[in-house]
Amino acid sequence: MSKYYVTSPIYYPNAQPHLGHAYTTLLCDVLNRFHKSLGEDTYFLTGTDENSEKIIQAAEKLGEGPKEYLEKNVQRFKDLYQLLGIEYDQFIRTSDKEKHWPGAIEMWNRLSEAGDLYKSSYTGLYCVGHEAFLTEKELDENGICPDHGVAPEKIVEENWFFKLSKYASEIQKLIESGELPITPETRKNEVLSFLRSGVEDVSFSRPAEKMTWGVPVPGDDGQKMYVWVDALSNYITALGFGRGEELMDFWPGTHVLGKDILRFHAVFWPAMLLSAKLPLPKQLFVHGTIISDGKKMSKTLGNTISPYEMVERYGKDATRYLLLRHVHPFEDTDITWERLDEWYTAGLVNGLGNLVSRIMKLAETHLDGPVEFLPVGIFEDYEKAFENFDFNHSVNIVWGTIKFLDERITTKEPFKVVKTDLEKGKEIITMVVQDLYLVAHLLESLMPETSATIKTAVRANKKPENLFPRLES
Ligand code: MSP
């Protein structure tokens, strides 16, 4: 049985999860469900990135201990996934000394054995918000980080460096040749131009006295691993790397991520894997950013759309639908509550919801019992859409069938035919019920609960409760 492994980034639990986190993890869930439906042996990993200074700072701000603060926020991620029907196989936490640390240490040892780590003095501008060193060019005219609104800390310290430069041309070739596929093409080109501009070695550790948290560097008590080093290793530590390897045959996997962390995944991580003599990721899929009203969502601007509020307003599967059909998988997408309301009403209340009621009412009234032959199977272009990570297209294909069915009922008028020719009327109804079952089947990965409700209704020949209630106002 072929194996399929999909990962989300591990998120910083330094605040409530937001819509961006929900979106990425939802895409992983859909991919995982889809590959499972193809009969593959699948594994879906998500989790939290906890060895970050940001977390300590956020906890201190609230006067809470980091441990209780982490527990609370990690639970919020898990609760959100449940609300959205996101079913992962493992939730890794990088503060987990049993599951994560041995693999992170093993990774470090491999880099060291390959002769790719050396100690040197470092001067740089560190932005805690990014958990990364920034260049002067990336700051505004006042020396402030534009994304986090604070000046980075000037740091002069002794660090371990990783020979990233040694691997740059090899990675470039692997990306160019498609051996390390990056979707979409725009992101692939972005990485290639970064690689062509010349890559320097990178600092891979911080002095322990400056990092109360974090994985210790083996053999050097004075240093802790830079948070991205242990964070990227999560994709294999979760599979048992460095502690028994029990799930390592799922590697290599498909990484789903936002464009903000592309370089880490397309350059740092492959270089670490090459150095450690491990297979490269199977594929990187890099999606766009969700913005609202033309601006990045922010609490101060008041344009935040929270995933919790979305589920409360529209429901679980409707939220999945809205994100999958209307957030562009490759580019930035602007969403507002007004637009979401319109999309909900058009696609679900007047679209799918209405169709299910119409068909099942006809079936319940005129058929003698449940329809016998229930077709399952998927179209080639539907499968292709998933292969291309074009989630909008996958949903559009299903809605194409919904439109076709709506039109078929309007033109064939089974509600009239049953009055003059009952058998003919039943035949038309049976046909549309079969097609409705196919719609439910196609919805299995996208809207699992709705899919199950429709299938149950067809099998029982009974009109279900209103699937998508009209919005109050
Ligand atoms: N901890 C690192 C990732 C380490 S992975 C080894 C990190 N965490 S994060 O909490 O900042 O999450 C970043 C990710 O969240 C993005 O790459 C993206 O997947 C998702 N999103 C965050 N904001 C987003 C939007 N506004 N829109 C879409 N997704 C975005 O970086």
Side-chain angles (χ1 to χ4, degrees):
M1 204 196 283
S2 82
K3 299 225 180 263
Y4 182 78
Y5 176 40
V6 65
T7 71
S8 81
I10 45 170
Y11 308 105
Y12 295 124
N14 62 332
Q16 290 235 41
H18 58 69
L19 195 56
H21 299 138
Y23 178 64
T24 314
T25 324
L26 171 64
L27 298 188
C28 296
D29 180 67
V30 170
L31 287 169
N32 189 54
R33 286 177 186 270
F34 182 70
H35 282 268
K36 196 178 281 185
S37 78
L38 295 180
E40 294 173 29
D41 185 14
T42 62
Y43 201 82
F44 167 16
L45 174 73
T46 189
T48 39
D49 189 354
E50 305 186 4
N51 300 319
S52 154
E53 274 182 64
K54 289 201 226 211
I55 309 215
I56 317 280
Q57 291 182 353
E60 275 170 2
K61 229 180 186 170
L62 292 176
E64 290 178 15
K67 233 188 156 71
E68 51 164 324
Y69 179 79
L70 276 174
E71 293 311 317
K72 187 179 70 188
N73 278 340
V74 165
Q75 195 51 47
R76 285 173 164 161
F77 276 88
K78 292 184 175 170
D79 292 346
L80 175 64
Y81 298 159
Q82 200 170 11
L83 280 178
L84 285 167
I86 291 173
E87 286 176 7
Y88 48 83
D89 292 294
Q90 190 183 152
F91 190 107
I92 182 113
R93 300 180 54 181
T94 58
S95 62
D96 190 328
K97 294 190 174 149
E98 229 169 86
K99 288 212 173 104
H100 177 65
W101 288 30
I105 289 168
E106 171 66 15
M107 174 55 94
W108 185 280
N109 286 335
R110 295 235 189 154
L111 305 186
S112 173
E113 280 157 24
D116 289 337
L117 295 171
Y118 62 93
K119 221 169 181 181
S120 178
S121 148
Y122 191 79
T123 308
L125 297 165
Y126 197 78
C127 171
V128 178
H130 277 106
E131 286 292 8
F133 286 100
L134 301 183
T135 59
E136 302 272 0
K137 271 194 288 187
E138 288 168 308
L139 306 177
D140 70 10
E141 62 280 9
N142 301 314
I144 305 282
C145 162
D147 292 333
H148 299 97
V150 283
E153 196 190 340
K154 186 160 183 168
I155 282 172
V156 183
E157 60 190 30
E158 189 68 0
N159 285 346
W160 285 97
F161 275 70
F162 173 60
K163 289 187 187 164
L164 188 63
S165 57
K166 177 173 155 188
Y167 296 99
S169 69
E170 192 174 347
I171 294 172
Q172 187 182 321
K173 278 188 210 121
L174 290 163
I175 295 176
E176 276 166 349
S177 69
E179 277 169 88
L180 173 55
I182 301 177
T183 306
E185 201 69 14
T186 44
R187 301 293 161 227
K188 171 178 169 175
N189 293 335
E190 201 177 303
V191 176
L192 285 174
S193 73
F194 170 71
L195 284 162
R196 286 181 195 127
S197 71
V199 172
E200 291 176 8
D201 292 348
V202 281
S203 160
F204 253 31
S205 74
R206 305 288 319 274
E209 72 266 15
K210 292 196 183 153
M211 273 183 82
T212 37
W213 216 242
V215 188
V217 166
D220 185 351
D221 289 348
Q223 297 272 320
K224 295 261 173 84
M225 288 182 204
Y226 168 42
V227 60
W228 272 97
V229 177
D230 87 84
L232 288 162
S233 305
N234 94 87
Y235 299 131
I236 54 174
T237 63
L239 299 180
F241 178 69
R243 53 165 180 98
E245 316 246 324
E246 73 276 16
L247 293 165
M248 270 306 271
D249 48 354
F250 276 103
W251 185 255
T254 297
H255 299 311
V256 178
L257 51 132
K259 61 181 180 179
D260 53 328
I261 53 175
L262 173 60
R263 259 182 224 178
F264 291 103
H265 285 79
V267 182
F268 281 39
W269 178 227
M272 288 165 68
L273 290 164
L274 286 173
S275 172
K277 301 186 178 49
L278 290 166
L280 293 184
K282 192 153 103 195
Q283 185 151 31
L284 303 185
F285 167 58
V286 190
H287 65 72
T289 305
I290 304 176
I291 51 176
S292 186
D293 242 351
K295 298 174 206 89
K296 199 173 164 177
M297 286 188 222
S298 97
K299 289 216 179 80
T300 4
L301 289 173
N303 62 345
T304 321
I305 291 178
S306 107
Y308 303 97
E309 282 175 284
M310 272 187 79
V311 176
E312 202 175 299
R313 185 162 178 79
Y314 308 112
K316 178 192 281 184
D317 272 8
T319 300
R320 292 173 69 106
Y321 164 84
L322 292 167
L323 295 174
L324 293 167
R325 189 173 197 193
H326 294 290
V327 173
H328 195 287
F330 310 139
E331 283 152 30
D332 291 356
T333 302
D334 194 317
I335 60 172
T336 58
W337 284 113
E338 291 74 34
R339 236 166 279 159
L340 288 171
D341 281 1
E342 278 167 30
W343 291 331
Y344 171 82
T345 305
L348 295 174
V349 180
N350 300 336
L352 179 60
N354 182 46
L355 181 79
V356 173
S357 305
R358 264 176 110 188
I359 295 180
M360 290 318 297
K361 177 119 203 294
L362 282 169
E364 195 180 317
T365 319
H366 301 292
L367 299 186
D368 307 322
V371 166
E372 269 172 26
F373 171 69
L374 297 174
V376 287
I378 50 169
F379 320 134
E380 205 179 303
D381 55 342
Y382 185 69
E383 195 171 339
K384 251 256 106 48
F386 282 95
E387 241 171 64
N388 297 334
F389 303 99
D390 194 347
F391 301 94
N392 292 172
H393 191 51
S394 320
V395 186
N396 283 339
I397 289 172
V398 187
W399 258 256
T401 313
I402 291 171
K403 186 158 171 267
F404 165 81
L405 274 179
D406 247 335
E407 284 166 4
R408 177 176 268 185
I409 298 172
T410 312
T411 52
K412 300 238 167 188
E413 301 181 313
F415 41 89
K416 278 193 191 156
V417 178
V418 283
K419 290 183 194 145
T420 52
D421 183 346
L422 185 60
E423 283 318 303
K424 179 97 196 355
K426 281 187 190 173
E427 223 174 83
I428 304 170
I429 296 169
T430 303
M431 231 154 58
V432 288
V433 172
Q434 284 169 336
D435 285 342
L436 180 66
Y437 195 84
L438 191 63
V439 164
H441 187 66
L442 294 176
L443 285 176
E444 212 174 74
S445 322
L446 306 163
M447 301 168 73
E449 229 173 60
T450 309
S451 163
T453 309
I454 301 173
K455 283 186 174 178
T456 308
V458 170
R459 284 198 207 104
N461 198 39
K462 198 166 171 7
K463 179 177 161 295
E465 292 288 308
N466 192 0
L467 285 177
F468 304 104
R470 230 162 245 294
L471 297 170
E472 304 241 310
S473 75

